[in-house]
Amino acid sequence: MVSLIRPAVLRSTVEFDALESEWAELLSAVPDHSLSQTFHYNRVAWTRLAEPRGSRLAVVTVRRGGELLLVWPLHIERRRGHTVATHLGNRSTQEYAVPVVRPGEHAEEALALAIAEATRLADVLAVYHQPDGPLPAGGRFSALAFGSSTTSPVAVRPDEGFEAWSGTRPQKLRWEMRRNRKRLQKAGTVAFRTSDDEPAFGHQAVDWIFARKREWLVRRHKTTPWISDGSGEEFFHELLDRTPAGAQVRPLVVGVTVDDELVSASICYCSAHALEGFVMAFDESQAALGAGNVLIEECVRLAFDRGLDFDFRIDAFAYKLRWSDRETTRHTRFVPCTVRGLAPVGARHATHAYAELKRVSTPLLTRYLPGVLTARASHQPPARVAVALVQDVRTLVPRRAS
């Protein structure tokens, strides 16, 4: 008798907890899984972040007989006028939020069934940072889905080790590496520390990282919920405490200290083949020391020494590209699943169109309205921006008349 492949949605914490051992067995068949796909990561995200804010649990599973083929931990949150089904995570939406799928002949069917189930959970299905290609989603409104892509630079572990590999980096980067290390050493005794060696240091560094991030946001008059309200650091503290000792896939907190004082630190995700640099901070009051660059160097070195690649993660900023050997593309998709989901997804299309218009028009604005751009960049009040506009126009008119 052929076993049927059946999807199901787990909606209670009791059902969630009962899945732990099967989830671990499934992950053992997926050797390249990330920390964000583990049971403990999602369990902490549910009890620490999602459940207290009124979300509803919706863990999508697919089985073939008694065998678990797929786990996709989602939750449903209510927003203005609509609901969104999205991955359980630390609220930053920065995870590689990939369903855990058992490799083999039934993988494609299991994924299709899970997606069909997920599109029935809420008004919008939000899927972040999928590898290879956008996660396919059906339904009558799928053609109206909003998609975007970004790249993750990766430093690929060489056979010959870090020193030989660093010799292939741009000459300017190699010079900066030597200069920054010398500056730090002149400032005091430099040490590279990890939560693997000092568990208490991991917690200390998490608090330090989020304190620096909050300072950065305040200076720029911004807020980001998972940083500003303290929920992000609470999540990482509990994750560190709940990760089993000796786990291969685990959070790893690293930092550079000068005379035992942190000057840069990062929360990384360690897996079987990569070390992911999830979030990093440095002491801006000592920016001239280049502590952030030294931390990057140490993280890449650590990854290579442990037989891992170093994944700089999403957003290919210039400082990451100098270290990377290749880039992987990640895809995000917002799928309207009901009529109520059309408006919020449409708003994303509009925001993207505006950003593209702004990008295309910026060279013209820089040429003809430099004063306005300068005033806005420095957060001047509207009256000062208007004065700058008048001055730019006065400068333009004679130029055109001549």
Side-chain angles (χ1 to χ4, degrees):
M1 181 178 177
V2 178
S3 298
L4 295 178
I5 300 178
R6 298 179 182 275
V9 180
L10 310 184
R11 299 184 182 274
S12 73
T13 304
V14 173
E15 291 176 301
F16 193 6
D17 287 341
L19 198 61
E20 181 177 0
S21 60
E22 288 185 283
W23 194 324
E25 187 279 325
L26 174 58
L27 285 175
S28 69
V30 186
D32 59 345
H33 65 272
S34 175
L35 176 65
S36 57
Q37 294 177 285
T38 62
F39 171 82
H40 287 287
Y41 191 94
N42 288 278
R43 185 63 169 83
V44 174
W46 168 241
T47 54
R48 175 63 69 175
L49 302 177
E51 187 178 28
R53 289 171 173 79
S55 289
R56 290 178 285 133
L57 187 65
V59 179
V60 179
T61 63
V62 179
R63 296 177 183 275
R64 180 176 180 268
E67 183 180 46
L68 184 64
L69 297 180
L70 178 147
V71 172
W72 192 3
L74 303 173
H75 69 112
I76 303 164
E77 54 185 25
R78 181 165 294 281
R79 300 183 185 175
R80 293 182 180 177
H82 68 284
T83 56
V84 177
T86 189
H87 70 288
L88 281 169
N90 61 27
R91 298 186 73 212
S92 71
T93 69
Q94 300 296 300
E95 291 97 344
Y96 293 157
V98 184
V100 185
V101 186
R102 187 182 298 276
E105 60 178 318
H106 303 294
E108 188 173 335
E109 182 181 358
L111 184 59
L113 287 170
I115 292 170
E117 201 70 32
T119 56
R120 291 192 283 267
L121 294 173
D123 299 316
V124 176
L125 174 63
V127 185
Y128 293 90
H129 311 309
Q130 305 297 299
D132 305 324
L135 198 68
R140 54 178 174 160
F141 301 121
S142 61
L144 301 175
F146 172 79
S148 63
S149 300
T150 187
T151 55
S152 295
V154 178
V156 179
R157 182 186 67 85
D159 294 331
E160 59 273 18
F162 177 83
E163 296 302 336
W165 174 86
S166 64
T168 67
R169 299 303 93 188
Q171 184 176 0
K172 182 181 179 183
L173 176 59
R174 299 199 306 272
W175 175 79
E176 288 178 358
M177 289 163 59
R178 292 191 295 270
R179 181 197 62 184
N180 292 334
R181 193 167 290 275
K182 287 179 180 178
R183 285 180 175 177
L184 277 180
Q185 290 169 343
K186 287 181 179 178
T189 302
V190 180
F192 179 66
R193 300 163 66 179
T194 76
S195 58
D196 278 357
D197 300 325
E198 306 172 70
F201 169 77
H203 291 286
Q204 173 194 348
V206 165
D207 286 335
W208 187 89
I209 288 168
F210 279 89
R212 301 290 83 71
K213 290 295 185 182
R214 279 192 289 273
E215 291 171 0
W216 186 91
L217 289 170
V218 168
R219 284 195 293 272
R220 288 156 181 80
H221 309 288
K222 296 180 179 180
T223 59
T224 298
W226 77 292
I227 295 175
S228 302
D229 64 9
S231 61
E233 59 201 286
E234 292 175 3
F235 170 84
F236 284 113
H237 282 309
E238 186 165 343
L239 185 63
L240 284 169
D241 287 336
R242 293 191 59 156
T243 300
Q248 182 184 54
V249 180
R250 66 192 186 283
L252 177 62
V253 185
V254 297
V256 172
T257 60
V258 176
D259 292 337
D260 292 327
E261 294 292 330
L262 274 164
V263 289
S264 59
S266 178
I267 300 170
C268 299
Y269 290 2
C270 189
S271 69
H273 71 117
L275 187 64
E276 304 173 20
F278 192 85
V279 58
M280 186 182 83
F282 64 93
D283 187 349
E284 291 193 19
S285 68
Q286 302 187 58
L289 296 178
N293 287 329
V294 172
L295 179 65
I296 291 174
E297 179 186 347
E298 291 291 349
C299 285
V300 176
R301 186 192 301 272
L302 177 67
F304 289 177
D305 287 348
R306 299 189 179 192
L308 308 173
D309 296 340
F310 187 81
D311 185 345
F312 285 91
R313 296 185 49 83
I314 55 176
D315 295 326
F317 296 124
Y319 79 89
K320 298 179 180 181
L321 294 175
R322 300 190 302 169
W323 293 88
S324 68
D325 300 295
R326 63 177 173 85
E327 296 177 51
T328 59
T329 302
R330 298 277 171 170
H331 305 271
T332 294
R333 204 165 185 221
F334 298 86
V335 183
C337 305
T338 68
V339 172
R340 282 195 298 269
L342 293 174
V345 175
R348 289 188 177 274
H349 281 288
T351 300
H352 177 72
Y354 173 75
E356 283 297 299
L357 177 62
K358 187 176 179 180
R359 181 184 63 81
V360 171
S361 63
T362 294
L364 292 175
L365 294 175
T366 301
R367 181 177 178 182
Y368 295 113
L369 301 175
V372 172
L373 290 184
T374 300
R376 293 193 62 183
S378 58
H379 306 289
Q380 296 290 330
R384 296 297 297 274
V385 175
V387 170
L389 175 62
V390 171
Q391 293 173 340
D392 286 340
V393 171
R394 285 177 175 173
T395 303
L396 271 175
V397 172
R399 187 185 301 169
R400 289 183 174 179
S402 61

